Amino acid sequence: MENKITQTGTAQMVIEGKSYDLPILKGSLGAPGVDVRSLYKQSGHFTFDPGYTSTCSTESQITFIDGGEGQLLYRGYDVEKLAEESNSLEVAYLLINGELPNAEEYKTFKQTITNHTMLHDQVESFFQGYRRDSHPMAMLTGTVGALSGFYHDDQHTTEDEARNLAIHRIIAKIPTLAARCYKYRVGQPHVFPQNNLSYAGNFLRMCFAVPAEEYVVNPIIERAMDKIFILHMDHEQNASTSTVRLAGSSGANPYACIAAGTACLWGPSHGGANEAALNMLKEIGTVDRIPEFIARAKDKSDPFRLMGFGHRVYKATDPRARVMRRTTHEVLGELGITNPVLEVAMELEKIATNEEYFVKRGLYPNVDFYSGIVLSALGFPTDMFTVLFALARTTGWISQWNEMLEDPSQRIGRPRQLYSGATLRDFVPMDKR
Ligand code: ACO
């Protein structure tokens, strides 16, 4: 990656009466940043920013979010347009390479991915080691990490060819691993990949086909699955992506880095919100109970929040939620499901988006508001929701990992701290304590 951020000015920071000049850096879109890299050397002071709410950890050219406008761009392309008009493999190519593929490039990429969909037969033994009731995210985290034992190559960090192979392998194998987690959990025999199917179609078949019956991929469901993959592929420097970058910054094996990202995504504050949103909609149950829940959400003495509403970055509608809303209707229509939960969701959205409390705070439905409904309609149990998120996000993680390694300004990630523990004290032998 060629560094493209430029200095547009100078900021002055005054610390205890002494002034320091710090460069102001600007990318192609978004807010500028103050470059504090030299601050400690110059002044002996660190910056303090737990949760990184005001800290850019890297330059990146992959994804841009405008939270105020409700816009999400992958390599400059609007995610809504990509979800409606492209497909997951084309978007994966775009995220990795920076440009949409031409017909020849797409053909080669698709062929390469489909050539790598099978797992090494020995991976099966890892699954056999899990309890049947293990959480699928536990199995996914463990088995993705285990791939590092199969593909350990020190050239991953230095050689383009080895790096590309790792990228293709992980994108190809993650649906097979995710489906295997599901099959193991439900006690069904695993279904091998079938390479004449699409990325999403193959995944659906590996999840829902059984040896006793013919399985035909429903094109509407396949398209919905593919859109869900596209919408979740990348979201700039969120917690799990930053985890992948931090792990990778030491030169660690790429599969181990993706396992680190998977572990981070597992947390309920990150990947688990769609499950919480679906549970809330089920708890509300009927439209007449909505005002009671709206009142609770507005009541500051009540910890209840409308799950699936609000976002740290988006202060307008999450663009992914718009696509997900349409997809939900398409899927439920196709499957002939009249779901009371959807009725509650639509009414709740209508009421909440007109209430002053929510409008004033920029609280709109996020992607998780609808994704739980659609995923359960597709037949996935709630504990698979985060696995599907991890499957899709793997493409973003590996693209970000690749970009980091190609960035000439990349250094090992090493945050500092403000130490507030005990100062130097003498060791006291045990018999004197
Ligand atoms: N329901 C009711 N009130 C809310 C909600 C909500 N869902 N979200 C925020 N608020 C209120 C807060 O009480 C606060 O009000 P105040 O200013 O009167 O004190 C104000 O809006 C700002 O809230 P913060 O928590 O400061 O906003 P932040 O940006 O830190 O939080 C978050 C974002 C965590 C997503 C929050 O909106 C939330 O908890 N939403 C519900 C959980 C959820 O859907 N998470 C999924 C996020 S999307 C994803 O991870 C893919």
Side-chain angles (χ1 to χ4, degrees):
M1 166 184 137
E2 185 196 339
N3 293 125
K4 288 188 179 161
I5 44 176
T6 51
Q7 183 172 349
T8 55
T10 306
Q12 278 178 343
M13 189 184 272
V14 179
I15 304 175
E16 291 168 347
K18 214 167 157 209
S19 168
Y20 300 93
D21 285 345
L22 300 168
I24 296 176
L25 302 178
K26 184 93 177 78
S28 51
L29 290 170
V34 178
D35 181 353
V36 294
R37 278 176 291 187
S38 66
L39 187 67
Y40 179 67
K41 233 184 208 160
Q42 284 192 66
S43 72
H45 288 74
F46 293 129
T47 56
F48 182 63
D49 185 20
Y52 312 116
T53 46
S54 295
T55 298
C56 304
S57 59
T58 187
E59 174 184 346
S60 181
Q61 294 160 10
I62 300 178
T63 294
F64 175 74
I65 303 171
D66 184 330
E69 292 296 319
Q71 187 182 54
L72 170 60
L73 307 180
Y74 291 166
R75 301 283 192 181
Y77 295 98
D78 194 309
V79 76
E80 281 190 77
K81 198 105 187 132
L82 291 172
E84 297 298 353
E85 293 181 24
S86 184
N87 68 63
S88 53
L89 280 189
E90 191 178 36
V91 177
Y93 183 98
L94 171 71
L95 286 172
I96 298 158
N97 298 292
E99 297 297 334
L100 286 166
N102 62 30
E104 197 50 39
E105 288 164 336
Y106 178 70
K107 194 172 150 216
T108 310
F109 182 69
K110 193 167 177 234
Q111 238 160 30
T112 312
I113 297 297
T114 47
N115 276 344
H116 287 290
T117 49
M118 277 175 61
L119 301 173
H120 189 291
D121 206 40
Q122 201 68 21
V123 174
E124 186 53 28
S125 351
F126 284 87
F127 281 100
Q128 298 306 325
Y130 285 107
R131 285 168 52 132
R132 282 281 172 193
D133 61 354
S134 298
H135 195 288
M137 277 301 277
M139 292 190 260
L140 190 71
T141 309
T143 49
V144 169
L147 291 182
S148 58
F150 294 85
Y151 309 111
H152 184 77
D153 184 346
D154 290 335
Q155 317 296 310
H156 280 140
T157 51
T158 52
E159 300 288 334
D160 286 354
E161 207 180 312
R163 202 153 64 226
N164 281 332
L165 184 57
I167 292 168
H168 296 148
R169 270 197 181 125
I170 190 69
I171 293 175
K173 291 185 196 309
I174 194 76
T176 317
L177 275 179
R180 185 74 195 94
C181 294
Y182 172 68
K183 286 298 203 194
Y184 190 74
R185 186 92 152 93
V186 295
Q188 289 179 1
H190 65 273
V191 175
F192 288 116
Q194 194 167 302
N195 287 348
N196 60 347
L197 295 174
S198 70
Y199 195 67
N202 185 34
F203 175 66
L204 287 168
R205 185 178 166 277
M206 287 190 288
C207 286
F208 298 122
V210 288
E213 280 170 26
E214 202 55 41
Y215 181 84
V216 181
V217 180
N218 176 322
I220 293 185
I221 304 302
E222 180 184 15
R223 188 73 195 108
M225 192 76 258
D226 209 48
K227 280 185 196 176
I228 292 170
F229 289 161
I230 294 172
L231 295 178
H232 288 86
M233 270 188 188
D234 202 46
H235 213 229
E236 52 120 304
Q237 308 308 318
N238 53 80
S240 57
T241 302
S242 298
T243 302
V244 171
R245 278 186 176 258
L246 194 57
S249 75
S250 71
N253 177 288
Y255 305 95
C257 297
I258 300 299
T262 310
C264 179
L265 186 77
W266 191 358
S269 303
H270 195 359
N274 50 11
E275 186 175 341
L278 182 65
N279 288 340
M280 178 198 73
L281 292 171
K282 283 181 181 162
E283 191 192 341
I284 297 175
T286 47
V287 168
D288 59 302
R289 294 191 64 207
I290 292 175
E292 178 197 325
F293 282 82
I294 297 261
R296 283 187 62 195
K298 286 159 53 178
D299 179 358
K300 292 290 160 203
S301 62
D302 188 330
F304 174 78
R305 284 188 167 197
L306 281 189
M307 298 313 287
F309 267 75
H311 194 278
R312 172 61 63 78
V313 181
Y314 295 114
K315 299 303 168 196
T317 299
D318 179 342
R320 301 166 301 172
R322 280 194 290 266
V323 182
M324 199 58 88
R325 187 181 198 273
R326 290 194 291 271
T327 307
T328 306
H329 284 283
E330 281 160 20
V331 167
L332 297 193
E334 171 65 17
L335 298 177
I337 298 176
T338 42
N339 190 338
V341 165
L342 180 65
E343 204 189 320
V344 173
M346 285 182 15
E347 192 59 24
L348 183 63
E349 181 183 2
K350 202 157 69 190
I351 296 172
T353 48
N354 287 309
E355 281 265 345
E356 198 209 339
Y357 173 93
F358 296 94
V359 176
K360 219 172 89 189
R361 290 170 177 76
L363 301 171
Y364 295 94
N366 59 48
V367 66
D368 291 323
F369 188 64
Y370 281 106
S371 64
I373 304 175
V374 73
L375 291 177
S376 67
L378 292 183
F380 292 104
T382 48
D383 61 9
M384 273 296 286
F385 292 179
T386 320
V387 170
L388 293 164
F389 192 164
L391 186 177
R393 187 56 59 85
T394 293
T395 296
W397 289 332
I398 204 71
S399 306
Q400 300 265 355
W401 169 84
N402 186 42
E403 183 182 66
M404 177 201 59
L405 291 175
E406 288 181 337
D407 182 348
S409 66
Q410 187 266 329
R411 301 172 71 190
I412 185 166
R414 193 357 178 143
R416 307 303 289 249
Q417 63 171 10
L418 286 183
Y419 177 69
S420 59
T423 54
L424 182 65
R425 45 187 171 161
D426 276 340
F427 176 77
V428 182
M430 201 175 280
D431 59 348
K432 302 243 166 58
R433 280 178 228 156

